[in-house]
Amino acid sequence: MNDIWQGVVAAFRLVVTLDSGLFEIVLRSLHVTLTAVVIASLIGLPLGAWLAVNRFRFRRATIALLNALMGLPPVVVGLIVYIILSRSGPLGVFGLLFTPTAMIIAQVIIITPLIASISHQAIRDLWAEYHDLLISLNTTRVQRIKTLIWDARRSLITASLAGFGRAIGEVGAIMIVGGNIDHLTRVLTTAIALETGKGDFALALGLGFILITLAVAVNMAIHSFSKTERTGRW
Amino acid sequence: MVTEKSILPLRVNNVTVSKRDKLILNNITTEIRGSGITVIMGPNGAGKTTLLRAMHGLERIISGKITWNLKQSEARGQQAFVFQTPIILRRSVLNNIAYPLHVRKAENALALAEQWANQIGLGTSLELNALFLSGGEKQKLAIARALICKPDVLFLDEPTTNLDGQSTKEIEEVLLSAQQRGTKIIMTTHNLGQAKRLASDVIFLNQGKLYEQTKAQLFFKSPKTTQAKAYIQGDIVE
């Protein structure tokens, strides 16, 4: 209990003293995670919609695979991205290893199946409801997908937020491909892992509380911005 | 849009539809023309909804043919369908009504939709989430959305089921005014009173077969088949 209290005090101290190191890693955490969420949403949301609307061979297998990929072990993703981006790997020439870009790539791989799978589920249900109307109105396939994405936007925001939740708290993959380098690739989760390793539990907990606050704040900001949970008027 | 070359007649030739090995429509042949309101009647399970959906291209037919006076691709764009349970988009009332115009990339979609909303009594609910409308209002919205592109043919599947007398009257007025503007209406109903008020001709189905197709007055005055007679008298139809 004492450790937790010290953690709260440490978090408070870091925030009120405007600790520059803290703000640097908070901003980097947000930059890496939000960039990954935007990219994964741009891939995952249309992919989910496309899978919901189209019938093709191996569709069931594709959906099953997508669902299975939701449980991708981050450490394995980190290892594979590490091998691909390392100097001797196929993309080694770009020199991306131990950069925020490598961390973004790893997070995109981890959260895209999650976003695609949740959005597929939401859009599939909506497609079942809209099917006859959209066919009757002679809509094109692209128009159907656009309509479904727009009308399912609240569920899709939830899908993206689920991706954000997974990415902001992720440590295994970004530790491997980012390397937890101070002033370059250190983010909140890797800093927590480092401080825990050093035995500075109060600081680790303090960073943990800031991480939780950040995740809650981003979720609330997005809900507020997208006007979810407001009935009556759209 | 009510076109110069008429989309009608609609010809249904030996159409059979089955679902899960059950025959729903059995070798139906009919022709629909004219500008009045054609009402498809029959007891539950007669195949009314399936026939209506097949005419609109929403059902897969296993044999036979359904043809319009225009090419299939042209004909599709000049029809609209109102479902028994209205399908409401998760949008405002205004955007629901404007949706078919947005699909067609028409100009002034919102202004036109507002006109229609005023016409059907939803002018004060333009920005309201359409899912919050009452059953009657949802059905009126669905009819306005179907009529906004001025279709040559409007299909309606039991449009006033579960609605009270006032809502039914308002919807019937909208339908009659659309019919007067040149839209051919083909609808199903269980409501004999409604059929008598609206129908210019009647198609009577029973157990997937077409028993009668005749002028409405004739149908209600002197039905030819015992099944139609029983149906009109409210007896059990065998």
Side-chain angles (χ1 to χ4, degrees):
Chain A
M1 200 61 200
N2 195 34
D3 280 343
I4 294 176
W5 177 244
Q6 283 179 353
V8 174
V9 172
F12 187 73
R13 196 173 49 234
L14 285 169
V15 173
V16 294
T17 58
L18 299 173
D19 186 281
S20 61
L22 172 73
F23 281 95
E24 187 192 317
I25 61 172
V26 165
L27 286 178
R28 191 173 301 114
S29 289
L30 282 177
H31 165 243
V32 168
T33 303
L34 289 176
T35 308
V37 168
V38 168
I39 295 170
S41 296
L42 288 174
I43 302 167
L45 299 182
L47 177 64
W50 190 83
L51 281 172
V53 169
N54 287 291
R55 297 286 174 271
F56 56 93
R57 222 175 154 194
F58 305 123
R59 179 173 171 270
R60 278 187 179 190
T62 308
I63 292 165
L65 180 68
L66 194 67
N67 290 340
L69 289 177
M70 281 198 293
L72 263 181
V75 177
V76 178
V77 173
L79 187 61
I80 293 168
V81 174
Y82 182 96
I83 292 166
I84 291 169
L85 297 182
S86 65
R87 201 167 284 275
S88 57
L91 301 180
V93 66
F94 295 110
L96 293 175
L97 198 60
F98 303 131
T99 66
T101 307
M103 295 153 76
I104 291 168
I105 292 170
Q107 290 202 338
V108 167
I109 294 169
I110 292 166
I111 64 173
T112 297
L114 183 71
I115 293 174
S117 194
I118 297 174
S119 61
H120 165 253
Q121 189 80 22
I123 289 173
R124 190 186 62 181
D125 293 345
L126 196 62
W127 175 231
E129 192 181 322
Y130 282 11
H131 178 272
D132 284 351
L133 178 69
L134 297 187
I135 298 288
S136 168
L137 289 173
N138 223 9
T139 51
T140 63
R141 196 161 290 192
V142 173
Q143 284 173 330
R144 285 172 208 164
I145 289 179
K146 277 187 186 172
T147 301
L148 291 167
I149 287 181
W150 178 251
D151 284 15
R153 59 194 179 278
R154 285 177 171 80
S155 305
L156 301 185
I157 287 170
T158 305
S160 292
L161 285 177
F164 173 81
R166 177 142 202 230
I168 192 86
E170 204 283 315
V171 62
I174 55 171
M175 183 75 96
I176 294 174
V177 300
N180 195 22
I181 303 166
D182 201 12
H183 303 301
L184 186 62
T185 59
R186 184 159 300 165
V187 289
L188 277 167
T189 49
T190 56
I192 291 168
L194 179 72
E195 296 307 328
T196 306
K198 280 159 61 180
D200 194 345
F201 297 124
L203 185 56
L205 264 172
L207 291 169
F209 288 136
I210 290 168
L211 179 62
I212 292 168
T213 309
L214 197 66
V216 172
V218 169
N219 269 274
M220 287 176 75
I222 290 173
H223 273 299
S224 168
F225 180 69
S226 58
K227 296 177 182 165
T228 54
E229 305 306 326
R230 285 188 200 180
T231 53
R233 287 184 184 275
W234 278 355
Chain B
M1 17 226 111
V2 182
T3 47
E4 285 181 16
K5 188 183 177 190
S6 175
I7 185 176
L8 296 168
L10 160 65
R11 292 192 178 90
V12 178
N13 290 317
N14 304 314
V15 165
T16 297
V17 173
S18 77
K19 287 177 190 171
R20 293 182 202 97
D21 296 332
K22 194 185 169 202
L23 209 56
I24 310 291
L25 293 180
N26 187 359
N27 210 24
I28 300 277
T29 296
T30 183
E31 186 174 302
I32 293 177
R33 54 172 72 234
S35 59
I37 298 181
T38 299
V39 173
I40 303 172
M41 302 186 77
N44 285 336
K48 305 182 292 292
T49 298
T50 306
L51 177 60
L52 204 68
R53 288 171 58 90
M55 286 171 174
H56 188 49
L58 290 174
E59 288 290 339
R60 186 176 295 170
I61 55 179
I62 58 168
S63 68
K65 208 171 178 187
I66 293 174
T67 54
W68 296 88
N69 196 32
L70 299 175
K71 279 184 203 161
Q72 202 68 25
S73 54
E74 286 176 67
R76 191 56 183 277
Q78 285 154 27
Q79 305 165 37
F81 199 108
V82 175
F83 300 91
Q84 186 177 351
T85 306
I87 300 173
I88 302 297
L89 300 170
R90 285 164 169 65
R91 297 168 184 222
S92 66
V93 168
L94 187 66
N95 280 316
N96 257 280
I97 299 175
Y99 183 77
L101 294 175
H102 287 313
V103 166
R104 292 169 186 223
K105 299 181 173 67
E107 286 176 12
N108 299 327
L110 291 177
L112 246 160
E114 194 172 340
Q115 276 178 27
W116 270 97
N118 288 327
Q119 214 170 310
I120 57 162
L122 292 175
T124 54
S125 313
L126 294 176
E127 294 307 318
L128 192 75
N129 174 349
L131 292 174
F132 286 83
L133 296 175
S134 70
E137 288 172 329
K138 279 181 185 167
Q139 195 59 283
K140 281 196 272 185
L141 181 150
I143 291 172
R145 188 176 57 198
L147 288 171
I148 198 166
C149 290
K150 296 180 184 161
D152 286 342
V153 176
L154 173 64
F155 294 101
L156 299 109
D157 187 12
E158 301 195 25
T160 57
T161 306
N162 302 326
L163 299 186
D164 61 21
Q166 183 57 33
S167 299
T168 300
K169 185 172 171 254
E170 286 168 9
I171 284 172
E172 286 180 7
E173 280 166 6
V174 174
L175 296 182
L176 284 170
S177 110
Q179 186 245 324
Q180 278 157 15
R181 283 196 301 269
T183 297
K184 169 71 184 176
I185 292 174
I186 305 172
M187 63 184 279
T188 65
T189 185
H190 265 302
N191 184 334
L192 282 171
Q194 182 171 62
K196 283 176 186 168
R197 285 192 297 276
L198 299 180
S200 52
D201 53 300
V202 171
I203 293 174
F204 179 74
L205 300 180
N206 184 37
Q207 294 178 352
K209 287 184 187 161
L210 194 153
Y211 279 70
E212 287 195 39
Q213 178 171 17
T214 182
K215 293 282 172 203
Q217 276 187 331
L218 207 61
F219 177 79
F220 290 112
K221 203 174 163 190
S222 49
K224 286 179 198 142
T225 58
T226 51
Q227 287 83 354
K229 217 173 274 178
Y231 182 76
I232 291 168
Q233 286 168 359
D235 293 338
I236 293 167
V237 184
E238 300 288 341

